Amino acid sequence: VHEAGVEYVDSGATAIDNLDDVLDVVVIGQVDFMTVGEYQIQYTATDNDGNVGSITRKVTVEDNTAPTAYSDVSRTPVPI
């Protein structure tokens, strides 16, 4: 779960092959951290023999932060 309004930084993925060692990973998808919802990011790697490995990360963006109101008199934030 990721908090809405907070920039999402993808942690990425690593692909390792028993013959080709570390492979390049293609990333498909993005997270709109300003919009509540579920997002999928797919990571795919292909070795030199054409074998494909893929995994999908699900990211849920939620708004769990209460708004803050300010009193005109005190200017002290008061959770709503």
Side-chain angles (χ1 to χ4, degrees):
V1 175
H2 185 79
E3 182 63 29
V6 177
E7 184 175 1
Y8 178 78
V9 178
D10 184 52
S11 57
T14 302
I16 300 173
D17 183 71
N18 62 340
L19 294 178
D20 300 325
D21 203 26
V22 178
L23 303 173
D24 291 332
V25 177
V26 176
V27 181
I28 299 172
Q30 59 185 2
V31 174
D32 181 354
F33 64 90
M34 296 301 291
T35 304
V36 171
E38 290 187 1
Y39 299 88
Q40 291 188 0
I41 302 173
Q42 182 177 1
Y43 306 91
T44 303
T46 305
D47 69 12
N48 290 332
D49 292 316
N51 300 308
V52 178
S54 183
I55 191 166
T56 301
R57 173 179 289 138
K58 181 176 129 180
V59 179
T60 303
V61 176
E62 294 180 353
D63 181 5
N64 296 309
T65 303
T68 302
Y70 294 91
S71 167
D72 289 338
V73 177
S74 69
R75 298 278 183 193
T76 303
V78 180
I80 298 178

